[in-house]
């Protein structure tokens, strides 16, 4: 599997042990502060690399110290970063995620350079030889431009997948749906599916998205696992019980495991099981890069679950 992960790259700062925001200029001690690479392209990229794929990232970062840290973390995970262009006039995208003792995790987010990434920043010849293109954040390009990129990937023999970053609503759906006829796999969460479609059930909503041209919709449902819907079948795969520390990045980890499973010739059910098992590794610590798993160890986890 040689995959181009295109779009949103973020540096997350996790702050553990936040009970409240201090008044005025008061301070507060916390348990842990940790950086991790993230984003619907960046987070998925590092997990794919751990699972044995050759990964090339494409997107935009700034020229700031945040970019230096983010690029170093991606490269340490084996991700090729030459396709990440520098935008001196924009800061690198970043989030601060305070995690409360009950597990709630509100976030502050700066879009930064992600909002400045354009199709002109990705020379199509850089995609030669890929077997898959994963677009994280089609809303930043818009449906027509995203569709052209995905169509090109298909024209050179690659399969395609899309993951949306923003919350789902009908206006956003209208903005990106031109990309759907060129999308083999759409990887939303349950709230996005229901928000996009207004459907009464998750399966009904996923089928509505398939009707717009998507080949397969693989929906994450948090603790409920995943739902995989095509025109011909519906598959439910449960989540695996683990001691959850933080769920940040679990959706990206599912995407990586699901796509890697498909690349290995596994059935959609088996691929979704690999996705849920990969997400379970991430949930046991802080950030998308938690742990030291690889494909063999995740398969061992699957076999013992």
């Amino acid at each position: 599997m040689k995959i181009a992960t295109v779009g949103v790259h973020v540096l997350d700062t996790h702050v553990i042990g936040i009970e409240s925001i201090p008044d005025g200029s008061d301070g507060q001690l916390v348990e842990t502060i940790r950086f991790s690479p993230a984003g619907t392209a960046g987070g998925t990229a590092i997990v794919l690399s751990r699972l044995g794929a050759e990964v090339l990232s494409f997107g935009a970062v700034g020229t700031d110290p945040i970019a230096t840290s983010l690029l170093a973390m991606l490269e340490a995970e084996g991700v090729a970063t030459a396709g990440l262009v520098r935008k001196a006039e924009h800061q690198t995208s970043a989030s601060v995620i305070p995690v409360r003792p009950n597990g709630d995790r509100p976030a502050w987010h700066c879009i930064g350079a992600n909002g400045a990434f354009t199709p002109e920043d990705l020379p199509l010849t850089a995609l030669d030889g890929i077997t898959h293109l994963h677009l994280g954040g089609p809303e930043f390009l818009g449906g027509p431009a995203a569709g052209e990129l995905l169509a090109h990937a298909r024209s050179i023999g690659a399969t395609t997948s899309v993951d949306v970053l923003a919350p789902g609503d009908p206006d956003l759906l209208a903005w990106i749906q031109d990309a759907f006829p060129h999308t083999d796999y759409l990887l939303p969460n349950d709230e996005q599916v229901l928000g996009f479609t207004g459907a009464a059930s998750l399966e009904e909503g996923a089928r509505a998205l398939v009707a717009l041209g998507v080949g397969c919709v693989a929906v994450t449902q948090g603790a409920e696992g995943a739902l995989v819907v095509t025109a011909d079948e519906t598959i439910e795969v449960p989540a695996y019980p683990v001691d959850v520390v933080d769920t940040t990045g679990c959706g990206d980890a599912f995407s990586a495991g699901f796509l890697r499973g498909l690349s290995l010739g596994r059935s959609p059910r088996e691929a979704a099981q690999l996705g849920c098992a990969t997400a379970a590794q991430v949930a046991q610590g802080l950030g998308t890069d938690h742990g030291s798993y690889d494909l063999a160890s995740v398969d061992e986890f699957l076999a013992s679950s």
Side-chain angles (χ1 to χ4, degrees):
M1 186 183 198
K2 183 176 182 179
I3 181 168
T5 52
V6 182
V8 174
H9 291 73
V10 182
L11 183 68
D12 278 354
T13 300
H14 307 267
V15 185
I16 308 302
I18 296 290
E19 297 181 354
S20 63
I21 297 175
D23 293 330
S25 297
D26 291 346
Q28 181 183 106
L29 294 177
V30 296
E31 297 171 22
T32 304
I33 298 175
R34 185 178 186 275
F35 295 155
S36 65
T40 45
T44 305
I46 63 170
V47 181
L48 280 162
S49 184
R50 289 187 178 192
L51 296 177
E54 180 183 352
V55 186
L56 298 81
S57 263
F58 297 88
V61 297
T63 56
D64 49 14
I66 300 176
T68 302
S69 297
L70 178 56
L71 292 173
M73 290 178 176
L74 291 168
E75 290 162 3
E77 294 284 353
V79 176
T81 63
L84 289 168
V85 298
R86 297 294 194 109
K87 302 279 187 176
E89 66 276 23
H90 296 275
Q91 79 150 80
T92 304
S93 181
S95 295
V96 176
I97 303 170
V99 183
R100 298 186 177 119
N102 67 357
D104 287 348
R105 49 185 184 95
W108 291 284
H109 179 66
C110 178
I111 292 173
N114 285 325
F117 180 64
T118 69
E120 289 71 31
D121 292 319
L122 201 173
L124 295 180
T125 54
L127 302 177
D128 291 350
I130 65 168
T131 61
H132 191 105
L133 187 144
H134 176 70
L135 176 58
E139 60 268 37
F140 290 102
L141 296 179
E148 290 177 10
L149 176 61
L150 296 165
H152 173 76
R154 280 180 160 183
S155 76
I156 60 174
T159 53
T160 61
S161 56
V162 169
D163 189 5
V164 181
L165 180 65
D169 67 59
D171 289 339
L172 179 60
L173 179 63
W175 174 245
I176 64 173
Q177 72 179 45
D178 284 349
F180 288 178
H182 312 286
T183 301
D184 294 315
Y185 300 97
L186 181 64
L187 302 160
N189 60 39
D190 48 1
E191 293 179 353
Q192 287 171 326
V193 170
L194 297 177
F196 283 147
T197 64
S201 72
L202 204 53
E203 181 178 357
E204 178 186 333
R207 290 200 173 279
L209 296 173
V210 169
L212 292 176
V214 174
C216 172
V217 179
V219 190
T220 54
Q221 307 179 80
E224 300 301 314
L227 183 74
V228 180
V229 176
T230 68
D232 301 318
E233 65 179 339
T234 298
I235 299 166
E236 282 200 77
V237 173
Y240 295 95
V242 293
D243 293 328
V244 175
V245 173
D246 177 41
T247 58
T248 306
C250 286
D252 298 329
F254 171 83
S255 295
F258 179 70
L259 297 175
R260 184 68 176 122
L262 293 171
S263 79
L264 294 167
R266 301 186 187 185
S267 69
R269 179 180 296 277
E270 292 168 334
Q273 288 170 335
L274 182 62
C276 287
T278 307
Q281 312 309 304
V282 171
Q284 295 177 73
L286 295 180
T288 314
D289 60 344
H290 166 72
S292 58
Y293 56 87
D294 57 14
L295 179 62
S297 65
V298 178
D299 277 338
E300 288 176 9
F301 172 85
L302 264 175
S304 64
S305 297

